[in-house]
Amino acid sequence: MGILLLIGNGLLAQTTEVTGKVTDPSGSPVPNASIRIKGVRGGTSADANGAFKIKVAPSAVLIVSGVGFETTEVPVNGRTSLTLSLKSGTSALSEVVVTALGREKDKKALGFAVSSVKAKDLEQRPDGDIARLLNGKAPGVNVLASSGISGSGTNISIRGISTITGGASTPLFVVDGVPFDGGTNVNANFQYGGGISTSSRFLDLDPNNIESVNILKGLAASVLYGEAGRNGVIVVTTKNGSGRHTARKMEITGTQSIFANHVANLPDYTHRYGGGFDLAPSAAFSNWGAEFTNPPLQTAYSPSLQAAYPDLYAGKNQDYKYYNSVPKFFRTGLISTSSINVAASGPNTTFNANYSYMDDEGFTPNNRVYKNNLGLGGTAKLANKFSANAVLNLAITDMQTPTVGANGGGGSADNASVFGNLMFTPTSINLMGLPFQNPVDGSSIYYRNGNDIENPRWAANNNISHDKTYRTYGTMGLKYDLIQGLSLNYRFGADFYAEYQSLTVNKGGKQGNAAYQTGTYRTTNIQNTILNHTLSLTYNTNLSHDLTLNVDAGGDLRHDYYSQNGMLSNGQLVFGLFDHSNFTSHDVLDEGGNDLDYKNEEIREGIYAQAALGYKDYLYLTASGRHDWVSTLEPNNRTKLYPSVSLSFIPTSVFSFLQDSKAVNYLKLRAGYATSAHFPTPYNTRSYLSQTTNAFIDRTGKVINTGAIPNTLPNPNLKPELIREIEAGIEGRFFDNRVTLDVTGYFRTAKDQLLDRQLDASTGYDKIQINAGSVDNKGLEIQLGYTVIRNQDWRWDLTGNFTLNRSKVHDMPDDIKQILIGGYSGGPATYAINGKPLGILQGSYVQVDPKSGKKMVDANGYFLGSSDIAEIGDPNAKYNLSGISVLSYKWISFRMQWDYVRGGAIWSNTIRTLLSRGVTRDTDFDRTLPFIIPNTVKQDGTPNDIQQSVDNIYFNAYGFGPASVTVWDGTVIRLRELSLAFSLPAKILKSTPFGSASINLSGTNLWYLAPNVPKHTNYDPESNSLGVGNAKGLDLFAGPSSRRLGATLRLTF
Amino acid sequence: MTSKIKLFFAAAVVILASCNKQLSPLLNDPSKASPSAADPDLYLNFLQTEFKTFYKDATDYGEQMTRMQTMFGPTYFNAYTPTSFDEMWQKAYMSVFKTANTMIPIAESKQEYTHEGIAQVLKAYTMMTLVDFFGDVPYSEASQGLTNTNPKVDPGKSVYDSAIALLDAAIANFGKDASFAPASDLFYGDKKDPAASWTTLAKTLKLKAYITTRLVDNTAASKITALLTENDLINTPDQDFVFSYSTHSASPDARASHYVNNYGTDNAAQDYIGTYFLWTLVEEKPMLDPRTPYYVYRQLDDMSTDSRVASQTTRQFAIPCLYRTSPYPAGTCYCLVGGGYWGRDHGNNEGIPPDNALRTTWGVYPAGGAFDAEQNKAIGQSSGKITGAGGNGINPIWLSSFTNFVKAEAALVLGTAGDPKTLMLAGIDASMSKVAGFAGSIGYTLPTADTAYLMTDYKVHKYDSIVGKQFDAATSTDAKLNLIEKEYYLAAWGNGIEPFNTYRRTGKPDNMQPTLGPSPGSFIRSFFYASVYVNYNKNATQKTVVNEKVFWDTNPDNFVH
């Protein structure tokens, strides 16, 4: 004990606390400057006012750096108070970024583009989904939510999509140096709600625990991660893994947020007409009924309502009037996030721990997410040349939502979905004022005479998808310094989760097939493990006075194991009870006939080496290569070698005319060529037999089992795919560092794609995976920053992010007509076609008169459809633009983010159904007049003069017309984020126990405008019914998006 | 220090080399069986159950074309999209053809000739039906996997010829001594000599092929005569070629599809029965067809008195056509037949009124539904709902009555042996007895013993005499043919393939209800190709019209409507 105390005292005696301020040459504070201690790991950073505190030895030397300033070394010399004035960075940018395999590199030495997003842009936000928070914050990164449902899956892709059928282009997530599964384990086809009702597993990350996010966009940046990095890498450093030295011995930060979650976009429903057809009121599912009158017409209650509640409704009438049903269906959800972070450090150790809890209530009844995140991490530098770090995180994510299946907008939902029958509820239906459930048997009751449509409130209460994940992930690393400059590193990473998914549907519903309506209980237990070992050598040396060399070489082994067991039960015995024993039949296939039990195991081994040569401080050459062995291919085809090379040149460090320039402060040119590989998923090379037990049971009770040849042909010759990319860019700072520019152009080509080729069934098969076809992506990423005001009290920064990507499919073999990517085969779907952008939408179209070029109508005056399919739209956006403005005055900061998406077609069933059923104010005109589809001709070429009732035209021509009729331009401008932050100045906090205190009022998705969709549908094109994948541009009632508003309080002790 | 580095690399190489050995075992999917587990019995089971699905898909489209069920339309061109036929196409080529082609050599090597013959018969039936529905289809270039990814079509006639050759090969196989009988013969497994039954079926299918192609085959008469002389044909109901369902409701749902669609949930009927078909049963003859309460079930038996549609608003919502004037000439059925036979007119594309629990639906024969004894109750699965025979139905793929009607047509038109009228009446009697005996054959007790509803000999005789008199009164061959085909049409309930073929071949029955809209375009003489074919096959071109005739249809363009 005494010895410990002595040591403790001894350690304390060696350090003093230094307080200080970082300023620019004019004396204005430099916010967020980084302060490191020379020769010691870790450091601190200055606050928004340039102030910092750090414990150091009196003899220590501080290394101070700030964005746009020259890095300066300042000896402490025993002082306890310092003012550090930084010179504007004219020669070099000393920013350090985390690159592949967790290596910190000087940004100036990188020959490729890296985008960094800081903690302050991610924390205190109303969304627990890191991918959605990244939207618009980095050029080249494309984020598309599947739906506004809380916890629903999210699409994220970087630099376009390079694969036709190779699954979602979700980038590799690397958390604290270890691969982290960011997949979406969909256990029911999108038609059955799997696309939206399943969370993407990066939801398990806690945005409040993130120190920084570095996005490695190009292959040159990610090649060392191997094929897993081919879609880009999102390198997340958590607070636990950062090894950050705190300003004080110990810091406790508490954060509490409260947000309200509203539905962002509902159609403007007509107040003029009610449910019915042909201007007659009826229990139709269309809103082409009578005009409302005062006093209102009286109609009888539905037979199911009368039967369930004879006393209340039998023989009585209700008003036929506007009930505002759909808006009242939604609620305001409450989102609350509480988090606490504890950080502590000593001279050779750091420690960080945090816990956060998020409760996110969706705007849809019974949609909610609970998230518990617990993590701890630390670093230690030992005396015997060893240093070690370890991080351990625990996440429990619990999401539930009423099922959101894909729907055609028919009267009776094709697939169970809370939105399937809701959005186009006739305006005269009193959805919220009448019971939805039979009190005796629990079944759904609604307004239709035959009770053939499920009440959406019944769906919201009785048809629930549930997704609960227990996840542990972490890493342990050891480093041994062999000799000066040479160190040996070993890191073990593990990511393990158990995910429990269930679908619980009470009996008595009206959606889904016969078995579904008897009550359905589907459970899936998933186990996913990623184990990762990396052993590497790092060598840094100066070859001569001007030449530095940095070598990383090593190997890694990654083992992925996924297994799931599931069961689908039908035939509920006791209403409300969900246990397989309460169901009469059990199956091992899901609703779509897919296996619920399967396993996937994969081993990837790789060796890699990277050498970086630096000449003086203006020329850097990096070359690297990686060789992989992957278990998913036959021995002869399972290896791939892929190299990369990149160059960085800093003219401002060479040419004196630039150094003297007032206009140019810093300029960097870079270029790179890199390759990466793509290996297939397991089990595509060997043939097998498909067996089905209980395929049929005959009249005598005999069980018929079957054996079949699978419809997918195996391909033993399958090879890995090689992806190549060249990129070049310019980074610069101009006009006294007020203007920053980062431009990257790239060209990426994925040749001999691993392609799931569909076959005409008449070959005997419907699919084979082959190597064929190429996809090119070329694009431009621009980030432009302008500091409008920069003085003692005021600062106004504007940032613009521009993303442009063009894709093209080519070199498809002659015998392939086209490849279906997603959607309904033959219906509206996305395809890969030679010479076209990837993912083009095809569907039936309106035939055109060759003479006049006008659309033709048939003998009934409806659009004349086609018998084949053709291109009906390109769902790829022309470009994305986002603008961020941050205006701060002393301790107040006001931030806005605007996003603009130009173009991108969407086939929207929501719009189609709203129009064809006449529920919105778009069809508020006088409906008694007959209608002729304008600007069309008859099949003989003469002008269309065929009159029809307006409801017949809308119903038959739009509702059941060709797919091309309901393709819309998805251009949208959006106020993505707005926040007003107050951080109390040190003066006020002096007499309090708080180190810092801030309050942040913010909102997301506050306003948007999609100018090219029918006005009163208020449709938000930012949704994707297909869930997470490569197919975009199809909406089958994905549901509205979410708008969030609230406040966050943060206190540091 | 360099030695340490060397050691590191040496270690790395050793580790990698040992790791590599563990990669190959991961190539096999641990959840799947190896191809060596293949077994002709399991293949045959798959073939039979998938063939049933192919038949079910085809028959529904045939029924919709011939007004047995409703076609929504409103025009023939937009009645069906190519995707409608995907399942049929896939079942034919990926299930029936592929399984048969894989199984036949294995079965032959094991001398399992009955297995082989069954595969050949089911394949031949499927080939003929593909041609009947689509015209020219891939055959000689099909089923080759990657060897030919874009198979071209063969002329329909050559596919038919191949099918007949397959039937002959099957007949030869059934004549051999098979070492094993199939473990599960879902069609004739209960027969004493299944191979003999299959032989009879194969010969009957040849008869079906000859009558179907008689317009383009001037040797049809002699071919049919040869079959008639041998007379090893399905002549009695116990030889009928039917697929039998059961009442097993889940995992798997082994109930008849029309039962599942209509009785399976409390949403009640999803199908609409064609107004015309109901009219032929109920009103066309001076008596109610004795099969009517077996064929169809009324959830509401008298519109004029039932409280469910008592108020005019409810009634107007439920059956809006009642409040419009008929667009048809006088004498053509429209909207509602009798007091409660509630169907839907041909080509009616209006929104679906809330009438699921009111409209007339499938009865006990052949769907395994309810017998209509005027229960006046809705169908469904919850208590108090009518469940009927629980889905214990059949697919009547070929019945002895069909053979008789085909013989009658051949006798009348081709002059083959037999008296057309006698043969026609034999067909009617075979059909009546099939329908009357059906409930007993599945062990289902009808809900009534009241002969007012049940089929009686008296009713059948009366029916026979009405039709007989009509036949005698008919002066032309055409009028006689019309009577034969009308009776064939009525007996075929549950089979849309034969009426669709007969309608295109003979134009009979000649009083089919026109489409509701005045401009439906040309009748569908062959369907659009499946989207999975035209979208993935370079050599495929979609039809731009629906009146492309199949090879055996030489009738004029406006022959049928």
Side-chain angles (χ1 to χ4, degrees), chain B residues 388-438:
Chain B
N392 209 344
I394 55 166
N395 287 140
I397 308 172
W398 192 272
L399 303 181
S400 60
S401 54
F402 299 5
T403 313
N404 282 302
F405 292 118
V406 167
K407 285 179 182 173
E409 179 184 329
L412 181 74
V413 181
L414 301 174
T416 55
D419 169 42
K421 180 184 167 191
T422 314
L423 288 165
M424 176 186 73
L425 293 176
I428 294 172
D429 292 348
S431 170
M432 295 285 177
S433 86
K434 177 85 189 172
V435 172
F438 179 68

Side-chain angles (χ1 to χ4, degrees), chain A residues 281 510 605 699 702 817 956, chain B residues 19 183 267 317 349 392 534:
Chain A
K510 301 290 171 188
E605 297 164 4
R699 198 165 276 168
K702 184 172 179 179
K817 199 166 189 173
N956 290 314
Chain B
C19 287
N267 292 358
F317 296 167
N349 189 42
N392 209 344
V534 290

